[in-house]
Amino acid sequence: MPELPEVETIKNNLQEILPLRIKELELRREDILRCQDYALKELAGQSIEEASRRGKYLILAVNNGLFLVFHLGMSGRLYIQEEENTILEPHVHVIIHLDKRLKLLYQDARRFGGLWLLKDIDSFFSRLGKEPLSEEFCPPYLEQVLQGRQTAIKNLLLNQNLISGLGNIYADEALFMAGIRPDRQAASLSVREIEGLCCGIKEVLTKSIKYRGTTFRDYRDGKRQPGEFQNHLQVYGRFNQACPNCGQPLKRTRIGGRSSHYCEKCQH
DNA sequence: CGCTAGTCCTGTCTGC
DNA sequence: TGCAGACAGGACTAGC
């Protein structure tokens, strides 16, 4: 499940080899296109100049002002392959044929993800919350976000319109690092706890990027390599295993329809 | 407006 | 061995 660190890793992989010229965008499934502001033909002969990321979205900027925006959903993969490699895996929905004998493939079994062909990305991203690794994401911002909210803190961390890029894995990890139970009422957090949570969010994301993301099953980076942060997770997916802090078996519960992992003793 | 539950989707796992 | 059902969840939407 590609969250911020996974998309950041893919972005870094692609940025290394840009610019690349587009020969043709081959759309193998129409319904993977979520929005189309321009014709596919307009991409032919143009150059992908820059890869960037906003929240969990990966953005490819084309030299004539067009954008390709991918969201990988649950099972999406975006990776580079050599053009002469003709082995076609199942669920490859988009193939972007490039120069330098390369192609960029979008593969997504569950199809929760998609591709947006946009001319204006500012309005597209205007609803997204602040980037958790930016300077403007700070305790006062988090405090403002939590103010008056009755829902569980975990639900707010997953709301992309408030904080962009956190998913189920890193929300659980950040709450563990901050010593806060995922079902705590958001508005009940003290200033000190908010500071700890802000710090925990930044720390877990930074560390995961360093390990090139978390591969539970589906995730692969832009070179089709799995990440390594799954070996450093403290609570996510570790139900009934020992808490790395106190040794007590970790708990699992459901919050907002999502599985949530925490330590009863270390989180309050 | 805030929040919950349902929806989309398919590979993988569990139980009979 | 095979099949049915549960489960995973990001983002959106309907409804209370």
Side-chain angles (χ1 to χ4, degrees):
Chain A
M1 14 192 138
E3 307 178 27
L4 187 154
E6 290 74 31
V7 181
E8 180 75 13
T9 301
I10 297 171
K11 182 265 283 178
N12 291 338
N13 293 150
L14 297 181
Q15 187 64 29
E16 274 177 30
I17 55 170
L18 294 181
L20 287 164
R21 198 172 54 81
I22 300 172
K23 288 181 178 170
E24 185 202 356
L25 188 150
E26 182 186 343
L27 189 62
R28 306 186 73 245
R29 250 197 102 105
E30 291 285 334
D31 61 5
I32 217 71
L33 257 195
R34 300 306 178 84
C35 177
Q36 188 172 7
D37 285 351
Y38 56 85
L40 291 178
K41 282 181 191 171
E42 288 187 57
L43 289 169
Q46 304 296 332
S47 171
I48 302 172
E49 295 289 332
E50 195 185 5
S52 57
R53 180 194 58 74
R54 179 77 174 90
K56 301 176 192 172
Y57 291 89
L58 189 130
I59 306 159
L60 299 177
V62 180
N63 65 323
N64 55 353
L66 306 179
F67 295 93
L68 298 152
V69 177
F70 288 92
H71 192 294
L72 305 184
M74 279 288 292
S75 55
R77 294 173 175 174
L78 195 60
Y79 56 89
I80 288 283
Q81 226 171 45
E82 289 173 359
E83 185 63 72
E84 50 266 35
N85 185 346
T86 53
I87 302 164
L88 192 58
E89 297 251 329
H91 311 298
V92 171
H93 309 308
V94 181
I95 305 174
I96 304 177
H97 299 277
L98 302 160
D99 64 352
K100 299 180 186 169
R101 292 160 68 192
L102 296 174
K103 56 187 170 186
L104 180 64
L105 283 77
Y106 179 66
Q107 179 183 30
D108 188 356
R110 267 161 275 187
R111 302 208 306 279
F112 276 24
L115 169 60
W116 288 254
L117 300 178
L118 303 175
K119 285 190 169 178
D120 173 20
I121 52 168
D122 289 341
S123 63
F124 183 73
F125 290 123
S126 64
R127 285 175 58 190
L128 277 189
K130 291 199 189 301
E131 282 290 325
L133 291 179
S134 68
E135 273 187 34
E136 50 184 22
F137 185 82
C138 54
Y141 174 70
L142 199 51
E143 190 176 1
Q144 178 202 317
V145 160
L146 306 191
Q147 202 169 32
R149 299 292 199 125
Q150 305 302 303
T151 194
I153 180 65
K154 168 89 180 267
N155 285 333
L156 288 197
L157 296 185
L158 294 177
N159 185 336
Q160 301 300 301
N161 298 325
L162 302 175
I163 305 167
S164 58
L166 279 186
N168 206 33
I169 296 174
Y170 300 112
D172 279 4
E173 292 296 311
L175 285 164
F176 175 76
M177 290 168 83
I180 299 164
R181 282 174 63 114
D183 57 358
R184 268 282 293 284
Q185 185 195 68
S188 77
L189 267 64
S190 69
V191 171
R192 187 172 289 270
E193 286 176 320
I194 291 171
E195 286 168 358
L197 184 55
C198 185
C199 187
I201 289 168
K202 287 175 188 280
E203 199 175 324
V204 72
L205 293 175
T206 304
K207 198 172 170 194
S208 180
I209 290 168
K210 194 174 127 193
Y211 286 99
R212 300 172 15 265
T214 302
T215 297
F216 252 82
R217 181 174 300 149
D218 295 316
Y219 170 69
R220 295 294 182 277
D221 71 10
K223 300 171 178 176
R224 234 181 163 195
Q225 299 298 308
E228 284 170 15
F229 194 65
Q230 64 276 10
N231 303 318
H232 302 270
L233 293 173
Q234 302 192 81
V235 288
Y236 184 86
R238 301 190 65 243
F239 170 59
N240 257 346
Q241 294 180 47
C243 167
N245 192 40
C246 75
Q248 206 169 264
L250 293 169
K251 299 282 179 186
R252 182 174 61 195
T253 185
R254 283 194 94 75
I255 298 167
R258 313 246 168 81
S259 65
S260 301
H261 312 72
Y262 67 101
C263 174
E264 211 171 26
K265 200 174 163 191
C266 298
Q267 292 170 261
H268 303 281

Coordinates of all heavy atoms in Angstrom, one line a residue, chain A residues 165-220:
Chain A
G165 N -0.5 12.1 2.8 CA 0.5 11.1 2.6 C 0.6 10.0 3.6 O 1.2 9.0 3.4
L166 N -0.1 10.3 4.8 CA -0.1 9.2 5.8 C -1.1 8.1 5.4 O -2.2 8.5 5.0 CB -0.5 9.7 7.2 CG 0.6 10.4 8.0 CD1 0.0 10.7 9.4 CD2 1.9 9.6 8.1
G167 N -0.8 6.9 5.6 CA -1.7 5.8 5.4 C -1.8 4.9 6.7 O -1.2 5.3 7.7
N168 N -2.4 3.8 6.6 CA -2.6 3.0 7.8 C -1.3 2.6 8.5 O -1.3 2.6 9.7 CB -3.4 1.7 7.4 CG -4.2 1.2 8.6 OD1 -4.7 2.0 9.4 ND2 -4.4 -0.1 8.7
I169 N -0.3 2.2 7.8 CA 0.9 1.7 8.4 C 1.6 2.8 9.2 O 1.9 2.7 10.4 CB 1.9 1.2 7.3 CG1 1.3 0.0 6.6 CG2 3.3 0.9 7.9 CD1 2.2 -0.4 5.4
Y170 N 1.8 4.0 8.6 CA 2.6 5.1 9.2 C 1.8 5.8 10.3 O 2.3 6.3 11.2 CB 3.2 6.0 8.2 CG 4.1 5.2 7.3 CD1 3.8 5.0 5.9 CD2 5.3 4.6 7.8 CE1 4.6 4.3 5.1 CE2 6.1 3.9 7.0 CZ 5.8 3.7 5.6 OH 6.6 3.0 4.8
A171 N 0.4 5.8 10.2 CA -0.4 6.3 11.2 C -0.2 5.5 12.5 O 0.0 6.1 13.6 CB -1.9 6.4 10.8
D172 N -0.3 4.2 12.4 CA -0.1 3.3 13.6 C 1.3 3.5 14.2 O 1.5 3.6 15.4 CB -0.3 1.9 13.2 CG -1.7 1.5 13.2 OD1 -2.6 2.4 13.4 OD2 -2.0 0.3 13.0
E173 N 2.3 3.6 13.3 CA 3.7 3.7 13.7 C 4.0 5.0 14.4 O 4.6 5.1 15.5 CB 4.7 3.6 12.6 CG 4.7 2.2 11.9 CD 5.2 1.1 12.9 OE1 6.3 1.3 13.5 OE2 4.6 0.1 13.0
A174 N 3.4 6.1 13.9 CA 3.6 7.5 14.5 C 2.9 7.6 15.8 O 3.5 8.1 16.8 CB 3.1 8.5 13.5
L175 N 1.7 7.0 15.9 CA 1.0 7.0 17.2 C 1.8 6.2 18.3 O 1.8 6.6 19.5 CB -0.4 6.5 17.0 CG -1.4 7.4 16.3 CD1 -2.6 6.7 15.8 CD2 -1.7 8.6 17.2
F176 N 2.4 5.1 17.9 CA 3.2 4.3 18.8 C 4.4 5.1 19.3 O 4.7 5.2 20.5 CB 3.7 3.0 18.2 CG 4.6 2.2 19.1 CD1 4.1 1.5 20.2 CD2 6.0 2.2 18.9 CE1 5.0 0.8 21.0 CE2 6.8 1.5 19.7 CZ 6.3 0.8 20.8
M177 N 5.1 5.8 18.4 CA 6.2 6.6 18.7 C 5.9 7.7 19.7 O 6.7 8.1 20.5 CB 6.9 7.1 17.4 CG 7.6 6.0 16.6 SD 8.0 6.6 15.0 CE 9.6 7.4 15.3
A178 N 4.7 8.2 19.5 CA 4.2 9.3 20.4 C 3.6 8.9 21.7 O 3.3 9.7 22.5 CB 3.3 10.2 19.6
G179 N 3.4 7.5 21.8 CA 2.8 7.0 23.0 C 1.3 7.3 23.1 O 0.8 7.5 24.2
I180 N 0.6 7.5 22.0 CA -0.8 7.8 22.0 C -1.6 6.7 21.4 O -1.3 6.2 20.3 CB -1.0 9.1 21.1 CG1 -0.2 10.3 21.8 CG2 -2.5 9.5 21.0 CD1 -0.1 11.5 20.8
R181 N -2.7 6.3 22.1 CA -3.6 5.3 21.6 C -4.3 5.7 20.3 O -4.8 6.9 20.3 CB -4.6 4.9 22.6 CG -4.1 4.0 23.7 CD -5.2 3.8 24.8 NE -6.4 3.1 24.2 CZ -6.8 1.9 24.5 NH1 -6.2 1.3 25.5 NH2 -7.9 1.4 24.0
P182 N -4.5 4.9 19.3 CA -5.1 5.3 18.1 C -6.6 5.7 18.3 O -7.1 6.4 17.4 CB -5.0 4.1 17.2 CG -4.7 2.9 18.1 CD -4.0 3.5 19.2
D183 N -7.2 5.2 19.3 CA -8.7 5.5 19.5 C -8.9 6.7 20.4 O -10.0 7.0 20.8 CB -9.4 4.3 20.1 CG -8.8 3.8 21.4 OD1 -7.8 4.3 21.9 OD2 -9.4 2.8 21.9
R184 N -7.8 7.4 20.8 CA -8.0 8.6 21.6 C -8.7 9.7 20.9 O -8.5 9.9 19.7 CB -6.6 9.2 22.0 CG -6.0 8.7 23.3 CD -6.6 9.4 24.5 NE -6.2 10.8 24.6 CZ -5.0 11.3 24.9 NH1 -4.1 10.5 25.3 NH2 -4.8 12.6 25.0
Q185 N -9.7 10.3 21.6 CA -10.4 11.4 21.0 C -9.4 12.5 20.6 O -8.6 13.0 21.4 CB -11.4 12.0 22.0 CG -12.3 13.0 21.4 CD -13.1 13.7 22.6 OE1 -12.5 14.5 23.3 NE2 -14.4 13.5 22.6
A186 N -9.5 13.0 19.3 CA -8.5 13.9 18.8 C -8.3 15.2 19.6 O -7.2 15.6 19.9 CB -8.8 14.3 17.4
A187 N -9.4 15.8 20.0 CA -9.3 17.0 20.8 C -8.8 16.9 22.2 O -8.4 17.9 22.8 CB -10.7 17.7 20.8
S188 N -8.6 15.6 22.6 CA -8.2 15.4 24.0 C -6.6 15.4 24.1 O -6.1 15.4 25.2 CB -8.7 14.1 24.6 OG -8.0 13.0 24.0
L189 N -5.9 15.5 23.0 CA -4.5 15.5 23.1 C -3.9 16.8 23.7 O -4.4 17.9 23.4 CB -3.9 15.3 21.7 CG -3.6 13.9 21.3 CD1 -4.8 13.1 21.2 CD2 -2.8 13.9 19.9
S190 N -2.9 16.6 24.6 CA -2.3 17.8 25.2 C -1.3 18.4 24.2 O -0.9 17.7 23.2 CB -1.6 17.4 26.5 OG -0.4 16.6 26.1
V191 N -0.8 19.6 24.5 CA 0.1 20.3 23.6 C 1.4 19.4 23.5 O 2.0 19.2 22.4 CB 0.5 21.7 24.1 CG1 1.7 22.3 23.4 CG2 -0.7 22.6 24.0
R192 N 1.8 18.9 24.6 CA 3.0 18.0 24.7 C 2.8 16.8 23.8 O 3.7 16.4 23.1 CB 3.3 17.6 26.1 CG 4.6 16.9 26.3 CD 4.9 16.7 27.8 NE 5.3 17.9 28.4 CZ 6.6 18.3 28.5 NH1 7.6 17.7 28.0 NH2 6.9 19.5 29.1
E193 N 1.6 16.2 23.8 CA 1.3 15.0 23.0 C 1.3 15.4 21.5 O 1.8 14.6 20.7 CB 0.0 14.4 23.4 CG 0.1 13.6 24.8 CD -1.2 13.1 25.2 OE1 -2.3 13.8 25.1 OE2 -1.3 12.0 25.8
I194 N 0.8 16.5 21.2 CA 0.7 17.0 19.8 C 2.1 17.2 19.3 O 2.4 16.8 18.2 CB -0.1 18.3 19.7 CG1 -1.6 18.0 20.0 CG2 0.1 18.9 18.3 CD1 -2.5 19.2 20.1
E195 N 3.0 17.7 20.1 CA 4.4 17.9 19.7 C 5.1 16.6 19.4 O 5.8 16.4 18.5 CB 5.2 18.6 20.8 CG 4.9 20.1 20.9 CD 5.4 20.8 22.2 OE1 6.1 20.1 23.0 OE2 5.2 22.0 22.3
G196 N 4.8 15.6 20.3 CA 5.3 14.2 20.2 C 4.8 13.6 18.9 O 5.5 12.9 18.2
L197 N 3.5 13.8 18.6 CA 2.9 13.2 17.4 C 3.5 13.8 16.2 O 3.8 13.1 15.2 CB 1.4 13.4 17.5 CG 0.6 12.7 16.4 CD1 0.9 11.2 16.3 CD2 -0.9 12.9 16.6
C198 N 3.6 15.1 16.2 CA 4.2 15.8 15.0 C 5.6 15.2 14.7 O 6.0 14.9 13.6 CB 4.3 17.3 15.3 SG 4.9 18.3 13.9
C199 N 6.4 15.1 15.8 CA 7.7 14.6 15.7 C 7.7 13.1 15.2 O 8.5 12.7 14.4 CB 8.4 14.7 17.1 SG 10.1 14.3 17.2
G200 N 6.8 12.3 15.8 CA 6.7 10.9 15.4 C 6.4 10.7 13.9 O 6.9 9.8 13.3
I201 N 5.5 11.5 13.4 CA 5.1 11.5 12.0 C 6.3 11.7 11.1 O 6.6 11.0 10.2 CB 4.0 12.5 11.7 CG1 2.6 12.0 12.4 CG2 3.8 12.7 10.2 CD1 1.6 13.1 12.4
K202 N 7.0 12.8 11.4 CA 8.2 13.2 10.6 C 9.3 12.1 10.7 O 9.9 11.8 9.7 CB 8.7 14.6 11.1 CG 7.8 15.7 10.7 CD 8.4 17.0 11.3 CE 7.4 18.2 11.1 NZ 7.5 18.8 9.7
E203 N 9.4 11.6 11.9 CA 10.5 10.7 12.1 C 10.3 9.3 11.4 O 11.2 8.8 10.7 CB 10.7 10.4 13.6 CG 12.0 9.8 14.0 CD 12.2 9.7 15.5 OE1 11.7 10.6 16.2 OE2 12.8 8.7 15.9
V204 N 9.0 8.8 11.5 CA 8.8 7.5 10.8 C 8.8 7.6 9.3 O 9.3 6.8 8.6 CB 7.4 6.9 11.4 CG1 6.2 7.7 10.8 CG2 7.3 5.5 11.0
L205 N 8.3 8.8 8.8 CA 8.3 8.9 7.3 C 9.8 9.1 6.8 O 10.1 8.5 5.8 CB 7.5 10.2 6.9 CG 6.0 10.1 7.2 CD1 5.3 11.4 6.9 CD2 5.4 8.9 6.4
T206 N 10.5 9.9 7.5 CA 11.9 10.1 7.1 C 12.7 8.7 7.1 O 13.5 8.4 6.2 CB 12.6 11.1 8.1 OG1 11.9 12.3 8.1 CG2 14.1 11.4 7.6
K207 N 12.5 8.0 8.2 CA 13.2 6.7 8.3 C 12.8 5.7 7.2 O 13.6 5.0 6.7 CB 12.9 6.1 9.7 CG 14.0 5.1 10.1 CD 13.8 4.7 11.6 CE 14.6 3.4 11.9 NZ 14.3 2.8 13.2
S208 N 11.5 5.7 7.0 CA 11.0 4.8 5.9 C 11.5 5.1 4.6 O 11.8 4.2 3.8 CB 9.4 4.8 5.9 OG 9.0 3.9 4.9
I209 N 11.6 6.4 4.3 CA 12.2 6.8 3.0 C 13.6 6.3 2.9 O 14.0 5.8 1.8 CB 12.1 8.4 2.8 CG1 10.7 8.8 2.7 CG2 13.0 8.8 1.6 CD1 10.5 10.3 2.8
K210 N 14.3 6.4 4.0 CA 15.7 5.9 4.0 C 15.8 4.5 3.7 O 16.8 4.0 3.0 CB 16.3 6.2 5.4 CG 17.8 6.1 5.6 CD 18.2 6.5 7.0 CE 19.1 5.4 7.6 NZ 19.3 5.6 9.0
Y211 N 14.8 3.7 4.1 CA 14.8 2.2 3.8 C 14.0 1.9 2.5 O 13.6 0.8 2.3 CB 14.3 1.5 5.0 CG 15.3 1.4 6.1 CD1 15.2 2.2 7.2 CD2 16.3 0.5 6.1 CE1 16.1 2.2 8.3 CE2 17.2 0.4 7.1 CZ 17.1 1.2 8.2 OH 18.1 1.2 9.2
R212 N 13.6 2.9 1.8 CA 12.9 2.8 0.5 C 11.5 2.2 0.6 O 11.1 1.4 -0.2 CB 13.8 2.0 -0.5 CG 15.1 2.7 -0.8 CD 16.1 1.9 -1.6 NE 15.5 0.8 -2.3 CZ 15.5 -0.5 -1.8 NH1 16.1 -0.7 -0.6 NH2 14.9 -1.4 -2.5
G213 N 10.9 2.5 1.7 CA 9.5 2.1 1.9 C 9.2 0.8 2.5 O 10.2 0.0 2.8
T214 N 8.0 0.4 2.6 CA 7.5 -0.8 3.3 C 6.9 -1.7 2.2 O 6.0 -1.4 1.6 CB 6.5 -0.5 4.4 OG1 7.0 0.4 5.3 CG2 6.1 -1.8 5.0
T215 N 7.4 -2.9 2.1 CA 6.8 -3.9 1.2 C 6.2 -5.0 2.1 O 6.9 -5.8 2.7 CB 7.9 -4.6 0.3 OG1 8.4 -3.5 -0.6 CG2 7.2 -5.7 -0.6
F216 N 4.9 -5.0 2.1 CA 4.2 -6.1 2.8 C 3.9 -7.2 1.8 O 4.2 -8.4 2.0 CB 2.8 -5.6 3.4 CG 2.9 -5.6 4.9 CD1 3.5 -4.5 5.5 CD2 2.5 -6.7 5.6 CE1 3.6 -4.5 6.9 CE2 2.6 -6.7 7.0 CZ 3.1 -5.6 7.6
R217 N 3.4 -6.8 0.6 CA 3.2 -7.8 -0.4 C 3.4 -7.2 -1.8 O 4.2 -7.6 -2.5 CB 1.7 -8.3 -0.3 CG 1.4 -9.4 -1.4 CD 0.0 -9.9 -1.1 NE 0.0 -10.6 0.2 CZ -1.1 -10.6 1.0 NH1 -2.2 -10.1 0.5 NH2 -1.1 -11.2 2.1
D218 N 2.6 -6.2 -2.1 CA 2.5 -5.7 -3.5 C 3.6 -4.6 -3.8 O 4.1 -4.6 -5.0 CB 1.2 -5.1 -3.7 CG 0.1 -6.1 -3.7 OD1 0.3 -7.2 -4.2 OD2 -1.0 -5.8 -3.0
Y219 N 4.0 -3.8 -2.9 CA 4.8 -2.6 -3.2 C 6.1 -3.0 -3.8 O 6.9 -3.8 -3.3 CB 5.0 -1.7 -2.0 CG 6.0 -0.6 -2.3 CD1 5.7 0.4 -3.2 CD2 7.3 -0.7 -1.7 CE1 6.7 1.3 -3.5 CE2 8.2 0.3 -2.0 CZ 7.9 1.3 -2.9 OH 8.9 2.2 -3.2
R220 N 6.4 -2.3 -4.9 CA 7.8 -2.4 -5.5 C 8.1 -0.9 -5.9 O 7.3 -0.1 -6.2 CB 7.8 -3.2 -6.8 CG 7.6 -4.7 -6.6 CD 8.7 -5.4 -5.8 NE 8.4 -6.8 -5.6 CZ 7.6 -7.3 -4.7 NH1 7.0 -6.6 -3.8 NH2 7.5 -8.6 -4.6

